[in-house]
């Protein structure tokens, strides 16, 4: 069974008559092979279901790409009436996270009050880690999110940890202090104080047991079904897509298409473990292309990974923009 047939079958579309897809697949595989690292990629024409992949079934740690399924789980609760965008969430000083952060306490004592809607936007458009853990809690926690995905037929995506838990495991902090002591400064100090040997051992464990993980094809299916309105109400679908279009990074997928092209995407970055982008780009004829590129490297080179993601996106965009299939 050919690669193209497998992809088409997975997306429930008719078998394509076009015979040029293998050339696109070879081009994308060559771009991926030129990078010092591992690349899983999928490019699917959304309206036809036709696409290609390289290492598309291999699971990768998702980093901040995992915020998309968390958002879906939260918005499912909103659609069911158990959560409202106007609900207020108070973040204590120990609820703020290291890494990407745009939220800041807005009251004396280091406490910040935010609505669920504000946290959702900060998590997706700004990739804020404090917002992510707050939204994850309102979605029921990691196991509840994974159960929601499985109930939707998206069993290839696992959500296993909070942002805080990921940091502690990644840097080998096996015996952290109580949660109420884990303010961002304290976490940063623990990371700095961890021994290099412990970090290397932790990284080896982290890589050997991928959690918070999915394949490029699994993420592509999530985006495909989100776009089609199969996961959320029309209102919630539109809200999430608006946040994805407002993303703060304009490299990776966005650098692979002409200026002015509409792009809905979510990036993910995590040391050598992840330089990702996953999203939907609009083609000149008004149809759409789902592109997911997941990268892990033995030695972090974000610029090289960014260029690889842009080049794969450009190859796919040029193929479909040129009239095929």
């Amino acid at each position: 069974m050919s690669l193209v047939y497998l992809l088409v079958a997975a997306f429930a579309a008719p078998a394509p008559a076009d015979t040029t897809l293998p050339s696109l697949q070879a081009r994308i595989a060559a771009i991926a092979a030129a990078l010092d690292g591992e690349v899983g990629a999928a490019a699917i024409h959304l309206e036809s279901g036709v696409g290609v992949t390289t290492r598309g079934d291999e699971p990768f740690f998702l980093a901040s790409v995992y915020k998309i399924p968390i958002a879906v789980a939260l918005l499912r609760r909103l659609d069911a009436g158990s959560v409202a965008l106007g609900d207020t969430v108070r973040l204590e000083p120990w609820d703020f996270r290291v890494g990407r952060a745009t939220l800041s306490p807005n009251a004396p004592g280091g406490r910040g009050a935010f609505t669920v809607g504000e946290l959702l936007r900060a998590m997706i458009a700004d990739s804020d880690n404090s917002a992510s853990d707050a939204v994850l809690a309102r979605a029921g926690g990691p196991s509840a999110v994974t159960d929601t995905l499985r109930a939707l037929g998206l069993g290839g995506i696992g959500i296993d940890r909070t942002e805080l838990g990921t940091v502690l495991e990644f840097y080998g902090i096996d015996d952290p202090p109580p949660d109420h002591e884990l303010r961002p400064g304290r976490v940063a100090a623990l990371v700095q104080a961890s021994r290099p040997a412990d970090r290397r051992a932790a990284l080896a464990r982290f890589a050997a047991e991928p959690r918070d993980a999915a394949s490029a094809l699994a993420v592509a299916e999530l985006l495909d079904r989100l776009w089609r309105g199969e996961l959320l109400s029309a209102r919630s679908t539109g809200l999430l897509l608006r946040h994805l279009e407002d993303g703060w990074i304009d490299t990776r997928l966005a650098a692979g298409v002409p200026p002015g092209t509409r792009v809905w995407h979510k990036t993910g970055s995590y040391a050598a473990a992840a330089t990702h982008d996953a999203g939907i780009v609009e083609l000149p004829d008004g149809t759409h292309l789902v592109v997911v590129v997941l990268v892990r490297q033995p030695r972090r080179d974000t610029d090289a990974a960014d260029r690889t993601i842009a080049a794969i996106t450009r190859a796919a965009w040029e193929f479909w923009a040129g009239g095929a299939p």
Side-chain angles (χ1 to χ4, degrees), residues 224-241:
D224 177 279
R225 294 184 59 194
L226 171 67
W227 185 269
R228 295 176 191 278
E230 297 178 6
L231 306 180
L232 302 168
S233 69
R235 176 186 176 223
S236 292
T237 298
L239 177 63
L240 181 49
L241 288 172

Side-chain angles (χ1 to χ4, degrees), residues 66-67 70 91 94-97 119 123 128-139 141 161-166:
Y66 101 143
K67 293 168 181 172
I70 292 172
L91 301 186
W94 51 87
D95 292 322
F96 291 90
R97 300 292 180 246
L119 292 170
M123 178 181 76
D128 186 282
N129 292 337
S130 306
S132 182
D133 274 1
V135 170
L136 179 58
R138 271 69 197 171
R161 294 166 292 201
T162 62
E163 292 279 359
L164 176 60
T166 302

Side-chain angles (χ1 to χ4, degrees), residues 3 6-7 10 39-42 53-60 156 214-218:
L3 172 67
L6 279 169
L7 276 176
V39 179
T53 185
T54 182
R55 299 176 76 161
D57 290 321
E58 184 174 333
F60 284 71
S215 68
L217 278 173

Side-chain angles (χ1 to χ4, degrees), residues 286-297:
T287 61
H288 303 87
L289 194 60
V290 179
V291 181
V292 180
V293 188
L294 310 176
V295 177
R296 56 177 171 247
Q297 298 169 290

Side-chain angles (χ1 to χ4, degrees), residues 75-218:
L75 289 169
R76 295 274 299 179
R77 293 195 167 203
L78 183 143
D79 288 341
S82 57
V83 173
L85 292 176
D87 290 347
T88 299
V89 178
R90 182 167 293 278
L91 301 186
E92 301 296 338
W94 51 87
D95 292 322
F96 291 90
R97 300 292 180 246
V98 297
R100 176 70 181 169
T102 57
L103 300 181
S104 60
N106 57 8
R111 295 171 175 80
F114 307 91
T115 66
V116 168
E118 289 170 335
L119 292 170
L120 177 67
R121 187 198 181 284
M123 178 181 76
I124 296 297
D126 299 325
S127 203
D128 186 282
N129 292 337
S130 306
S132 182
D133 274 1
V135 170
L136 179 58
R138 271 69 197 171
S143 61
V145 174
T146 299
D147 288 346
T148 296
L149 297 172
R150 287 175 179 164
L152 290 168
L154 296 166
I157 304 172
I159 305 300
D160 302 295
R161 294 166 292 201
T162 62
E163 292 279 359
L164 176 60
T166 302
V167 168
L168 297 176
E169 288 189 28
F170 187 83
Y171 289 102
I173 303 170
D174 297 325
D175 189 22
D179 284 356
H180 69 273
E181 296 182 20
L182 288 174
R183 302 186 186 204
R186 181 71 186 279
V187 174
L190 289 170
V191 168
Q192 290 297 318
S194 62
R195 298 186 308 166
D198 291 340
R199 291 192 198 184
R200 288 193 295 272
L203 180 58
R205 292 193 302 270
F206 195 93
E209 183 189 0
R211 295 197 288 160
D212 299 303
S215 68
L217 278 173

